[in-house]
Amino acid sequence: METMDDYKAELEASFRRINEGDIISGTVIDVNEEEVTLDLKYYAQGIIKVADLSNDPDFAVFEEVHEGDVIEATVVKTDDGQGNILLSKKEANDVLAWDKLKEMMEQQTTVTVRIKESVPSGVVTYLEGIRAFIPASQITVDYVENTDEWIGKEISVRVITVDAEKEKLVLSGKVVAREAEQEERNHKISMIVPGTVLEGTVETLMPYGAFISLGNGLSGLVHISQICERRIGKPSEVLKVGQKVKAKVLNTNDNKISLSMKALEEEMVDTEDAGDLAAYTNTESTGTSLGSLLAGLKFD
């Protein structure tokens, strides 16, 4: 037996009032080159003209809109002359998108955008239908001189500035790229086994020690106490920038490579005492380049 619950949706639709200026949502039931039709759970259907879907000049309706999608739009007319409710997603987006963008910034959400054009000192894209600017210094890790080369490319970005009143939206790909670099670096470091002897080049001398370039974008620190067995006042007493050295990996705690040249000296002394000096006469046999150590490994 039918009950009132069977007609609940129809009853609610009959009492519901939709006014111009309201922001309502509906489910896409048809898409064509001119318009998108929405089921509003109402006695009339909603119509959005393609021109009123997005501010993005490259918006492609068949790529962006599909049956079953839920769209929020502003009521432009309650009757378009054919019994349908005329809607505009662009108008609703001008109200709703800024809240979404602010939420993205607060939650540090990473999204992918396609760069549309090059402008002085940066590039332009669209996010949530809003025109966004990416400064040349924020496209990737390094400053981009020729921004034209980035047109059409997709990059991962985060929202760094949202100002609805000034209609200002600024994105950054640099923060995402830098995090990806750091993640890859940490992964490389995690593959280094303590006790391994690595070859490198002295790149920086500091009062507390020397930084050794190991290749593959990695460097390690030889603390002043680990440079040699004798006590020294400063690293420059023993080392100079550009010098090739070998050092043993002590540890990789906190994704930092701690090295010791002193440990190799101690090993050589121990070997001499054991009468096996020949094993260390050819120092080439004691070192391993980081490139060969990580050869064959894939870093995703």
Side-chain angles (χ1 to χ4, degrees):
M1 229 179 128
E2 294 181 338
T3 66
M4 290 297 290
D5 287 339
D6 297 319
Y7 299 97
K8 184 176 180 180
E10 288 81 358
L11 286 169
E12 288 180 351
S14 66
F15 287 111
R16 181 183 176 194
R17 293 188 62 82
I18 293 178
N19 302 305
E20 291 183 7
D22 288 350
I23 295 178
I24 60 177
S25 63
T27 304
V28 176
I29 57 176
D30 185 64
V31 182
N32 61 51
E33 294 180 352
E34 296 183 353
E35 60 191 27
V36 171
T37 305
L38 304 182
D39 177 7
L40 304 174
K41 303 299 181 186
Y42 195 61
Y43 66 82
Q45 294 180 333
I47 298 294
I48 308 177
K49 299 296 183 182
V50 169
D52 291 320
L53 281 167
S54 175
N55 288 311
D56 187 342
D58 296 326
F59 181 84
V61 64
F62 292 113
E63 292 180 13
E64 303 289 343
V65 183
H66 308 89
E67 289 187 20
D69 289 352
V70 176
I71 293 178
E72 290 180 295
T74 299
V75 178
V76 179
K77 291 182 180 179
T78 54
D79 189 339
D80 65 352
Q82 296 181 347
N84 300 307
I85 297 175
L86 188 62
L87 305 169
S88 171
K89 186 177 185 297
K90 283 168 60 172
E91 287 191 23
N93 203 59
D94 290 341
V95 177
L96 302 174
W98 292 102
D99 289 336
K100 292 181 182 178
L101 293 167
K102 185 177 180 182
E103 184 178 346
M104 285 182 183
M105 181 175 67
E106 293 172 347
Q107 296 182 357
Q108 297 185 12
T109 304
T110 299
V111 293
T112 300
V113 297
R114 186 185 297 276
I115 295 174
K116 303 293 186 180
E117 61 180 296
S118 173
V119 295
S121 70
V123 293
V124 168
T125 185
Y126 285 81
L127 181 58
E128 292 296 326
I130 303 297
R131 183 181 171 91
F133 176 62
I134 307 176
S137 61
Q138 293 294 324
I139 296 174
T140 187
V141 174
D142 300 317
Y143 184 87
V144 175
E145 292 289 348
N146 186 2
T147 54
D148 288 344
E149 294 179 349
W150 288 78
I151 297 174
K153 291 185 178 181
E154 288 189 348
I155 63 171
S156 295
V157 297
R158 288 211 188 119
V159 179
I160 58 174
T161 301
V162 176
D163 190 332
E165 290 185 4
K166 296 181 180 179
E167 296 186 348
K168 182 179 180 181
L169 175 60
V170 182
L171 311 177
S172 172
K174 182 177 183 177
V175 293
V176 181
R178 182 170 285 168
E179 285 182 2
E181 274 192 354
Q182 185 63 45
E183 185 177 341
E184 181 179 344
R185 179 180 181 277
N186 292 347
H187 183 54
K188 288 178 181 178
I189 292 174
S190 72
M191 303 304 295
I192 300 174
V193 179
T196 303
V197 177
L198 298 177
E199 300 173 336
T201 305
V202 178
E203 61 178 353
T204 308
L205 295 176
M206 304 297 289
Y208 52 83
F211 284 97
I212 311 300
S213 173
L214 302 171
N216 286 288
L218 299 183
S219 64
L221 173 66
V222 181
H223 190 268
I224 189 171
S225 64
Q226 294 296 322
I227 291 177
C228 61
E229 287 193 306
R230 68 182 177 85
R231 187 180 182 86
I232 57 175
K234 52 186 178 180
S236 59
E237 293 178 18
V238 178
L239 300 172
K240 61 181 180 180
V241 174
Q243 181 179 345
K244 300 288 185 180
V245 298
K246 293 176 182 177
K248 176 178 279 191
V249 178
L250 295 180
N251 62 69
T252 55
N253 299 339
D254 300 321
N255 292 311
K256 296 178 181 177
I257 305 172
S258 179
L259 302 170
S260 174
M261 295 169 62
K262 176 182 173 182
L264 293 183
E265 283 190 13
E266 292 173 345
E267 286 184 2
M268 290 180 71
V269 171
D270 290 343
T271 304
E272 288 174 354
D273 291 342
D276 194 18
L277 178 61
Y280 285 91
T281 300
N282 182 2
T283 56
E284 291 300 320
S285 64
T286 68
T288 303
S289 71
L290 188 62
S292 61
L293 182 69
L294 301 178
L297 295 175
K298 293 182 179 181
F299 303 107
D300 297 325

